[in-house]
Amino acid sequence: MPPVLWILTAAAFTIGTDAYVIAGVLPDLARDLDVTVGAAGQLVTVFAAVYALSAPVVSSLTASLSRRSALAAALAVFTAGNALTAVAPGYGLVVLGRIVAAAGAAGFTPAASAAAADLVPPRHRAKALAAVIGGITTATALGVPLGTLAAGTLGWRATLGGVAVLGLAALLGVAAWLPALPPGPRYTLAERFAGLRNPAVLAVLVVSLFTVTSEQVVYTYIGTALAPATGARAGVLAALLLVFGLGALVGNAVAGWATDRFGSRITLLLAVGGMTADLALLPWWCRSLPAAAAAMCCWGLTAWMYVVPQQHRLLFLAGSGGPLAVALHSSVLYLGMAVSGALGGAVLQFGPPPWLALPAVLLGALAVGVAAVGYGRERALSSTVPTVSPQGQVFRREGRENADS
């Protein structure tokens, strides 16, 4: 991997910390803003929904910029949003800060994935994507636990202020060290959504939507769900989030290797199936600290294994429209986070936190089912996979490699 790739990894660490740290500071934030935990959880919904909806628009607006300029602009907006969140006196301005930060994040992640793919030969794309996603998984391993611990000591505003400082550092790093890669082709919004007309691409996106919603419906409210095991102590919760994050680091690293070695099908089904089984036992392991530690490690390991094979598969299925499909995939992931925040808040209105396992397991099972059916149909079609061009034209590729990837 070229050394410059790690600049993108560091910037992705900042984005990932911001996206996921709210889960660790949620109880503290709710008390400070005098709102319910469910209402505070809607900050995740707002952030994720804005990201999902604005990513295609931001990509179109920055299409004429070099990769470096686009990434620097995105990080500048992201940093401003987090600074506003950190100093906002009330819930309304906190929501506004999350909206601004989400718009910046939406401009960063797809451009970073595309830049990573451009920096390496095609045979190393999966590893390059894993390196960028590794920044986000490192955020779950280090950024989120440290942010949770800081919130327990200094308050949640210090955590979000720290994210703003990291955003500024990432901005300076990208501006100084990333090559001015030329902009990619310019596409209209209709062309950016062309992948939705390809049944194979659409099936991959549906699997990711179900999977991320299954994961996040529990993770968003993990502080509340693990209260029986942690005794509502921020330090203990931070330790469990560290265990989750370390598992995620291993899972992401294994996913890049396994996808290149065995293909996406085996990697994906093992990851989603393992995560679903783990979350099914939430009502039991949330009550015991040792059980919670083991379950969080297994959950992190499996939950972060599915993104790399999904992106790798989209790059293959969409052909020359691969970067557009990856951008759609990023929007779908954040759409799932938005749905999970709202869904989890609704569940907590009617039942205790362990009830979050019900929608998590149902959605995980649906993801496994849709993925298995999709792969089965492609194999039945004698290794012929429909592929979409950037203009939405559907054609077919032949070859055994397609069926296995």
Side-chain angles (χ1 to χ4, degrees):
M1 297 294 103
V4 70
L5 187 63
W6 302 113
I7 296 175
L8 299 179
T9 302
F13 171 86
T14 304
I15 300 292
T17 298
D18 185 52
Y20 295 102
V21 77
I22 293 295
V25 305
L26 203 62
D28 183 33
L29 185 149
R31 286 192 299 270
D32 186 55
L33 297 179
D34 195 25
V35 296
T36 66
V37 170
Q42 301 319 300
L43 294 174
V44 174
T45 299
V46 168
F47 181 96
V50 170
Y51 181 107
L53 295 174
S54 64
V57 177
V58 173
S59 296
S60 295
L61 293 175
T62 60
S64 62
L65 302 177
S66 69
R67 302 285 194 200
R68 182 173 62 192
S69 296
L71 289 168
L75 286 169
V77 174
F78 169 82
T79 300
N82 276 284
L84 174 59
T85 303
V87 301
Y91 184 77
L93 284 179
V94 169
V95 170
L96 178 60
R98 300 309 291 159
I99 290 173
V100 175
F108 173 84
T109 307
S113 296
D118 288 344
L119 288 169
V120 299
R123 67 182 182 277
H124 293 311
R125 274 183 174 178
K127 291 185 179 69
L129 290 170
V132 175
I133 297 169
I136 300 177
T137 54
T138 303
T140 66
L142 298 176
V144 173
L146 289 175
T148 302
L149 191 60
T153 305
L154 303 174
W156 65 272
R157 295 182 187 276
T159 295
L160 273 296
V163 171
V165 172
L166 289 176
L168 179 60
L171 167 60
L172 296 176
V174 165
W177 300 107
L178 188 70
L181 298 171
R186 300 190 67 175
Y187 303 113
T188 65
L189 282 177
E191 289 169 336
R192 291 184 181 279
F193 287 99
L196 298 178
R197 299 198 296 270
N198 179 353
V201 170
L202 184 60
V204 174
L205 297 177
V206 168
V207 170
S208 288
L209 177 63
F210 287 157
T211 302
V212 72
T213 307
S214 171
E215 174 198 1
Q216 291 296 315
V217 75
V218 176
Y219 189 85
T220 300
Y221 300 96
I222 193 64
T224 301
L226 288 180
T230 65
R233 291 168 291 177
V236 179
L237 176 60
L240 290 178
L241 291 174
L242 176 62
V243 169
F244 176 92
L246 292 175
L249 280 176
V250 175
N252 183 71
V254 169
W257 169 81
T259 300
D260 283 338
R261 177 66 178 83
F262 302 109
S264 65
R265 179 172 61 92
I266 293 176
T267 307
L268 174 69
L269 293 178
L270 285 177
V272 181
M275 182 189 74
T276 303
D278 187 88
L279 292 179
L281 300 176
L282 171 66
W284 289 271
W285 57 256
C286 73
R287 297 177 293 181
S288 164
L289 186 57
M296 290 289 282
C297 181
C298 179
W299 182 15
L301 179 69
T302 54
W304 280 92
M305 285 182 66
Y306 78 94
V307 179
V308 171
Q310 288 288 82
Q311 287 194 341
H312 186 265
R313 185 162 170 73
L314 285 172
L315 286 171
F316 181 78
L317 290 175
S320 59
L324 300 183
V326 170
L328 270 178
H329 187 252
S330 293
S331 291
V332 165
L333 293 181
Y334 279 87
L335 177 62
M337 289 179 63
V339 172
S340 67
L343 179 60
V347 170
L348 293 179
Q349 291 292 321
F350 298 99
W355 284 23
L356 294 169
L358 296 176
V361 171
L362 175 60
L363 290 164
L366 285 173
V368 171
V370 173
V373 170
Y375 282 112
R377 289 184 62 186
E378 289 174 16
R379 295 174 73 88
L381 288 172
S382 302
S383 302
T384 301
V385 179
T387 307
V388 66
S389 72
Q391 291 74 31
Q393 297 170 329
V394 177
F395 58 95
R396 294 186 179 274
R397 287 183 177 177
E398 303 290 338
R400 177 69 184 173
E401 180 184 0
N402 294 21
D404 293 338
S405 67

